[in-house]
Amino acid sequence: MGVTGVATSNRQRRTTIGDVARAAGASISTVSRVVNGVDSVDAALAERVRQVIVELGYRPNAAAQGLARGRSGTIGVLVPDLANPYFHDMLKALSDVARGSGRRVLVMDSGEDPYEERELADDLIRHSDGILLCSPRMPRSDLADLVRRGHPMVVANRVLLGLELHTITADFFRGMLAVCGHLAQLGHREVVYLAGPEASWANAERLRALAAAEDFGLTFRAVPCGATMEAGYEAAPSALEGGTRAVVAYNDFVALGALARFKDLGVRVPEDVSVTGFDDIEMARYSSPALTTVGVPRGRLARLAGEALLRQMQGSAPMDPEAVPVQLQVRGSTAAPA
Amino acid sequence: MGVTGVATSNRQRRTTIGDVARAAGASISTVSRVVNGVDSVDAALAERVRQVIVELGYRPNAAAQGLARGRSGTIGVLVPDLANPYFHDMLKALSDVARGSGRRVLVMDSGEDPYEERELADDLIRHSDGILLCSPRMPRSDLADLVRRGHPMVVANRVLLGLELHTITADFFRGMLAVCGHLAQLGHREVVYLAGPEASWANAERLRALAAAEDFGLTFRAVPCGATMEAGYEAAPSALEGGTRAVVAYNDFVALGALARFKDLGVRVPEDVSVTGFDDIEMARYSSPALTTVGVPRGRLARLAGEALLRQMQGSAPMDPEAVPVQLQVRGSTAAPA
DNA sequence: TTGAAAGCGCTAACAC
DNA sequence: GTGTTAGCGCTTTCAA
């Protein structure tokens, strides 16, 4: 490992606002004003202070600012899986909103673990002015505890009625209904559903839609799966049992994994079996065949969530739940059964 | 938008350590000790304090702790593109290391923008006990400025000699050399390189290896491209010009994009043209054909980086650069030219 | 326009 | 084992 590091006590005291004040011959408050852009400071003095700041390389201590101001300047976001581009797209949009209010985004990944999720949420609250929980898997009671804390908070991709909590979600139910309708119109009478995480509300909504589609004569069989490519790859064979002609995946990752497995097995898509995803991540366009999936406007979703959060941080109460529409994207992975 | 929110001033003062102390009939320091698990506290008293803490729902104020302790308990990480699983894998490993030292990870995404990157790094420093810059694109001089700040910092995926800075990287040069060797042994005499971001050191290393491979009679032509699937998709046609039989992509994303485009164009891989990636992200195994690529041990890389960072936070000086080996993964996307 | 000083909530000597 | 208290570095009244 080639350690050449010598233990040097490089705990050089960082320059503080006081150092700057002294060097500039001004008071601490004046420096503070300059730093914060308060313009009631004499131009010449301000300029002098600014120079000293540069010379000394002064940077305000974030913790001290946070403590004095009573706010951290941070928005916390918790996602179940950072590897999923779905959340990445949300993050991007949210970062913009955050920046607009002079804040930064602090992201944490719970790894689909409800317990971990709860822990991280607790931690996130301590470090932020408000938090956004994306697709939380934790039990409702935990969420209720969190609400009770009185910290600005909004939940995305999950609806929780009866909690004083702003939730914002895409219309997963309608999205899955659209998938079923598409398949039914192609002539499919039965589909296999590669189910998502059990604790996922989005998964429950998809199941609800699948059940509703039975009214139109489309029956389904659910196979436990998950939310990753690997899960899709593993579950694909069991989806095939019983002469399946259409596989509906929980999300695009699962569909992509299934696609890969079918390829390995020599099962042609869509000739032998149709496959659908959900979310419309970028890869869905680049796979072969390209995935029929449901487009979810995550940018808009995240923006709405961020704005709701900002409003709460300014003192308004949580608003009613919101839902944004989704849209079916028909591509090459679906066809009429042979 | 259905705003029902009433502006309620819910700025309820959060309960502080003082409140707990009063309610428990103990001193502030005792409460602090209990909170921090110092065991020189009488068991009964400690228990009482713990109860009050639960009753009052007390949570220590992070900013105050940070200020008093002189450390934030946070490790900052800056990546050029969170959408790339490469960085996600690094993050995961780093989180583990961080947790081991009782810290959390704060992630920021520069969107491949060197200017933004510099800004974010500045910000990250103020908020963390140490930062890890992944594949920084900023000019060397900026990096030098950052070093001068004396904040614990390590750089991953880029080597910078002559800076008192710990860098840790994978052996990209050898990786690309292995790709070239593989292609050459298959009988290829010429390849087209879909080049990565100009500011990328990793890209420079790949080019260096490509040049070195000319000693073995393998010539190359570089086509400007980028680091995303979209970039690969767009650049693919121009890679084909001149009867190309082998396309070497900057990374897996680019290769995946090129694969998709070739499919659209009716160009068969690997029959008509061989394609290689770099990084070995999960998707590389699930694409069709599966990608020949270079496996980079990012978990190990991130772990080493994290440990180096921790050491620096404890006062040791930056160590010498380290490089971890990579490994060629031969899969279905490469073959002998027809 | 400027400065003095009282916090912000917590930690960590130090004294008892 | 427990409490007192002086900071940590900054913001923000309040006076001047």
Side-chain angles (χ1 to χ4, degrees):
Chain A
M1 230 199 215
V3 180
T4 64
V6 181
T8 66
S9 102
N10 58 6
R11 267 281 156 276
Q12 35 181 332
R13 203 176 68 74
R14 305 244 288 129
T15 92
T16 72
I17 197 171
D19 300 333
V20 176
R22 204 169 315 116
S27 76
I28 287 187
S29 16
T30 296
V31 177
S32 173
R33 291 190 186 100
V34 172
V35 169
N36 293 292
V38 177
D39 44 69
S40 70
V41 179
D42 178 81
L45 216 203
E47 189 45 38
R48 187 145 38 98
V49 169
R50 250 178 248 112
Q51 290 214 329
V52 174
I53 287 179
V54 172
E55 278 165 23
L56 270 49
Y58 166 71
R59 316 273 161 173
N61 176 307
Q65 283 184 316
L67 181 56
R69 289 181 177 150
R71 57 192 216 81
S72 63
T74 294
I75 288 180
V77 186
L78 190 50
V79 303
D81 179 18
L82 252 187
N84 193 326
Y86 184 95
F87 299 113
H88 179 259
D89 293 341
M90 285 192 67
L91 278 178
K92 206 167 226 162
L94 192 73
S95 293
D96 289 341
V97 178
R99 187 161 327 176
S101 79
R103 270 171 258 254
R104 76 204 60 63
V105 169
L106 171 47
V107 196
M108 291 196 178
D109 180 340
S110 70
E112 295 277 1
D113 178 341
Y115 176 75
E116 183 79 354
E117 191 177 61
R118 172 56 197 272
E119 300 280 288
L120 293 178
D122 273 317
D123 201 50
L124 221 40
I125 285 180
R126 295 195 322 116
H127 287 275
S128 67
D129 299 335
I131 68 172
L132 171 60
L133 302 180
C134 294
S135 315
R137 314 299 199 204
M138 70 180 90
R140 181 193 172 87
S141 59
D142 277 3
L143 246 4
D145 286 350
L146 254 25
V147 168
R148 213 164 297 128
R149 282 265 236 317
H151 196 78
M153 163 166 126
V154 356
V155 166
N157 304 322
R158 175 166 170 181
V159 169
L160 291 139
L161 298 171
L163 247 43
E164 194 173 333
L165 171 63
H166 185 69
T167 63
I168 165 143
T169 180
D171 198 339
F172 299 132
F173 180 84
R174 281 297 302 279
M176 186 51 96
L177 214 51
V179 168
C180 292
H182 168 63
L183 256 16
Q185 293 203 38
L186 283 174
H188 289 277
R189 309 286 302 169
E190 188 184 314
V191 307
V192 167
Y193 175 55
L194 292 177
E198 289 197 23
S200 158
W201 180 82
N203 183 53
E205 284 293 288
R206 313 240 213 287
L207 280 166
R208 221 161 57 79
L210 254 356
E214 298 202 308
D215 291 348
F216 291 85
L218 189 78
T219 63
F220 77 99
R221 170 167 68 92
V223 171
C225 180
T228 63
M229 278 193 285
E230 191 183 355
Y233 188 86
E234 294 305 327
S238 60
L240 250 28
E241 288 166 16
T244 307
R245 312 307 310 273
V247 172
V248 172
Y250 168 68
N251 69 10
D252 289 343
F253 265 167
V254 170
L256 254 18
L259 234 44
R261 188 58 167 269
F262 290 154
K263 184 91 54 178
D264 288 357
L265 297 173
V267 175
R268 295 168 305 162
V269 176
E271 295 81 357
D272 300 332
V273 52
S274 289
V275 173
T276 66
F278 211 108
D279 291 347
D280 195 17
I281 63 177
E282 191 184 15
M283 189 68 213
R285 285 205 316 276
Y286 294 121
S287 69
S288 82
L291 268 183
T292 291
T293 184
V294 176
V296 177
R298 11 191 197 290
R300 183 163 158 219
L301 211 147
R303 222 165 296 119
L304 287 173
E307 286 158 5
L309 208 44
L310 290 180
R311 250 176 274 123
Q312 276 187 51
M313 300 190 299
Q314 265 134 44
S316 40
M319 305 185 314
D320 283 340
E322 290 180 79
V324 302
V326 299
Q327 183 154 32
L328 181 70
Q329 297 288 348
V330 176
R331 291 198 270 251
S333 66
T334 46
Chain B
M1 232 201 214
V3 179
T4 64
V6 183
T8 65
S9 103
N10 58 3
R11 267 281 157 273
Q12 36 181 333
R13 201 177 69 75
R14 305 244 287 131
T15 92
T16 73
I17 197 172
D19 300 332
V20 176
R22 204 169 314 116
S27 79
I28 286 186
S29 20
T30 296
V31 177
S32 173
R33 291 191 185 100
V34 172
V35 169
N36 293 292
V38 177
D39 46 69
S40 72
V41 179
D42 179 80
L45 216 201
E47 188 46 38
R48 186 146 39 98
V49 169
R50 250 178 248 112
Q51 290 215 328
V52 173
I53 286 179
V54 172
E55 279 165 23
L56 270 50
Y58 166 72
R59 317 271 160 175
N61 175 309
Q65 282 185 317
L67 182 56
R69 288 181 177 149
R71 59 192 215 82
S72 62
T74 295
I75 289 180
V77 185
L78 191 50
V79 303
D81 179 17
L82 252 188
N84 193 326
Y86 184 96
F87 299 113
H88 179 258
D89 293 342
M90 286 193 66
L91 278 177
K92 207 169 223 161
L94 192 74
S95 293
D96 289 342
V97 178
R99 189 160 326 174
S101 80
R103 271 173 257 254
R104 78 203 59 63
V105 169
L106 171 48
V107 195
M108 290 196 181
D109 180 340
S110 70
E112 295 278 0
D113 177 342
Y115 176 75
E116 182 80 353
E117 191 179 60
R118 170 59 197 271
E119 300 278 292
L120 293 177
D122 273 319
D123 200 52
L124 221 39
I125 285 179
R126 297 196 320 117
H127 287 276
S128 66
D129 300 334
I131 69 173
L132 171 60
L133 302 181
C134 294
S135 314
R137 314 298 199 206
M138 69 180 91
R140 181 193 171 86
S141 59
D142 277 3
L143 247 3
D145 286 349
L146 254 24
V147 168
R148 213 164 296 127
R149 282 267 234 316
H151 195 77
M153 161 164 126
V154 356
V155 165
N157 304 322
R158 174 164 171 183
V159 169
L160 291 139
L161 298 171
L163 247 42
E164 194 173 333
L165 171 63
H166 185 69
T167 63
I168 166 144
T169 179
D171 198 339
F172 299 134
F173 179 85
R174 281 297 302 280
M176 186 51 97
L177 214 51
V179 167
C180 292
H182 167 63
L183 256 15
Q185 293 203 39
L186 282 173
H188 290 276
R189 308 286 302 166
E190 188 184 314
V191 307
V192 167
Y193 176 54
L194 291 177
E198 289 197 24
S200 158
W201 180 82
N203 182 55
E205 284 294 287
R206 312 237 213 290
L207 280 166
R208 222 163 55 80
L210 254 354
E214 298 201 308
D215 290 349
F216 292 84
L218 189 78
T219 63
F220 77 98
R221 170 168 68 91
V223 170
C225 180
T228 62
M229 277 194 286
E230 190 183 355
Y233 188 85
E234 295 304 329
S238 59
L240 251 27
E241 288 167 15
T244 307
R245 312 305 310 272
V247 172
V248 171
Y250 167 67
N251 68 10
D252 289 343
F253 265 169
V254 169
L256 256 15
L259 235 44
R261 187 58 166 268
F262 290 155
K263 183 91 55 177
D264 288 356
L265 297 173
V267 175
R268 294 167 308 162
V269 176
E271 294 82 357
D272 301 333
V273 54
S274 288
V275 174
T276 67
F278 211 108
D279 292 347
D280 195 17
I281 63 177
E282 191 184 14
M283 190 68 212
R285 286 204 316 277
Y286 294 121
S287 69
S288 80
L291 268 184
T292 290
T293 184
V294 177
V296 177
R298 17 192 192 289
R300 184 163 158 219
L301 211 146
R303 222 166 295 117
L304 287 173
E307 285 158 5
L309 207 45
L310 290 179
R311 250 178 275 124
Q312 276 188 52
M313 299 191 299
Q314 264 135 44
S316 42
M319 306 184 315
D320 283 341
E322 290 181 78
V324 302
V326 299
Q327 182 153 32
L328 182 68
Q329 297 290 347
V330 176
R331 289 198 271 252
S333 66
T334 45

